Amino acid sequence: MLRQEQLSERYRVSRTPVREALRRLAATGLVSFVPNRGVRVRTISREELREAFLVRAELEALVTELATTKMTRADVERLAEADARFDELTGELLDRKRSTEERTLLTGDWVRANYRFHDVIYEAAAVPYVESVAKSARRTFLSRWRPGGPEIDDLYEQNARQHHAILDAIAARSALGARALAHEHVLHSCRLLEVILDHVVPHPA
């Protein structure tokens, strides 16, 4: 349980920025306010996780289909650049020569590169309301990505390959193909996150 006054004393700041930071965390679903007690770091049930990704899968599929029909050559080039950066960071994240601490720190860059790939698609689709809903849903899981063992590494690699496939379908102007790949990709990301969470906090059978 987190208390505002304790956090304020610990970090030597007033309660106002602490309260604002906690409100932002609450908005992303990472913490929840408990009346008269403080703030509790919120755990996400597997059912909530799957439901959130089901919604994201439908939204990403719709947006990707719409974007495919609207993307200019410059948009495709920007998507290819985002894909290349994501592929580069995936390789760095899976580099076993790096320490666990280094690889864990890299997950932040990896997540941002992943989001950048999808953001190019959202920008081309030009559906701001759908974009805001989808981005709100994905922020809930921002801090939960971690490197892991061979099984997780394989899922990370699959994630990168799926980006390549989505890019190829968009470049080929295959709207329905890109839609199907985007839907599958988001559900795969759910599976990846479930495996990561199982390694961090074992889930009872």
Side-chain angles (χ1 to χ4, degrees):
M1 188 73 68
L2 304 174
R3 300 192 69 87
Q4 293 181 28
E5 59 271 20
Q6 293 173 340
L7 291 171
S8 178
E9 291 174 5
R10 179 175 179 180
Y11 294 104
R12 299 178 181 178
V13 295
S14 70
R15 294 188 186 184
T16 300
V18 171
R19 185 162 48 250
E20 180 59 27
L22 291 174
R23 283 176 179 168
R24 291 186 181 183
L25 289 172
T28 66
L30 294 176
V31 301
S32 57
F33 285 92
V34 181
N36 303 317
R37 295 189 61 189
V39 177
R40 176 185 291 124
V41 177
R42 186 173 178 271
T43 58
I44 297 177
S45 72
R46 294 311 165 92
E47 191 59 35
E48 287 178 301
L49 178 115
R50 290 168 189 144
E51 287 182 10
F53 272 90
L54 281 173
V55 171
R56 280 191 58 200
E58 294 298 331
L59 293 176
E60 294 277 357
L62 170 63
V63 168
T64 304
E65 180 181 7
L66 293 173
T68 301
T69 65
K70 298 178 179 180
M71 274 199 165
T72 65
R73 178 173 296 182
D75 291 330
V76 175
E77 289 175 355
R78 287 194 300 123
L79 188 62
E81 289 172 2
D83 178 56
R85 177 58 178 158
F86 181 73
D87 194 53
E88 177 186 358
L89 282 167
T90 300
E92 292 179 13
L93 181 64
L94 302 183
D95 183 0
R96 291 289 175 170
K97 295 177 182 177
R98 298 176 183 270
S99 68
T100 301
E101 291 76 14
E102 287 178 310
R103 295 171 68 218
T104 299
L105 287 173
L106 274 168
T107 57
D109 292 333
W110 182 89
V111 170
R112 284 184 285 274
N114 176 49
Y115 287 173
R116 180 56 194 154
F117 177 87
H118 292 283
D119 286 349
V120 174
I121 296 172
Y122 277 111
E123 289 162 11
V127 281
Y129 178 74
V130 176
E131 180 178 357
S132 68
V133 172
K135 288 184 177 180
S136 177
R138 78 186 186 187
R139 278 195 295 269
T140 304
F141 309 104
L142 180 61
S143 65
R144 302 178 190 272
W145 299 95
R146 296 286 186 277
E151 180 183 6
I152 294 177
D153 285 357
D154 182 61
L155 291 172
Y156 271 118
E157 289 175 344
Q158 289 181 46
N159 199 278
R161 289 197 296 270
Q162 288 167 353
H163 274 203
H164 301 332
I166 292 169
L167 170 62
D168 289 344
I170 289 175
R173 302 297 182 188
S174 175
L176 292 180
R179 178 189 179 108
L181 289 166
H183 192 278
E184 178 186 355
H185 171 62
V186 175
L187 295 183
H188 169 83
S189 295
C190 180
R191 171 57 182 158
L192 170 56
L193 190 52
E194 284 188 299
V195 173
I196 289 171
L197 293 175
D198 281 338
H199 280 71
V200 175
V201 181
H203 183 60

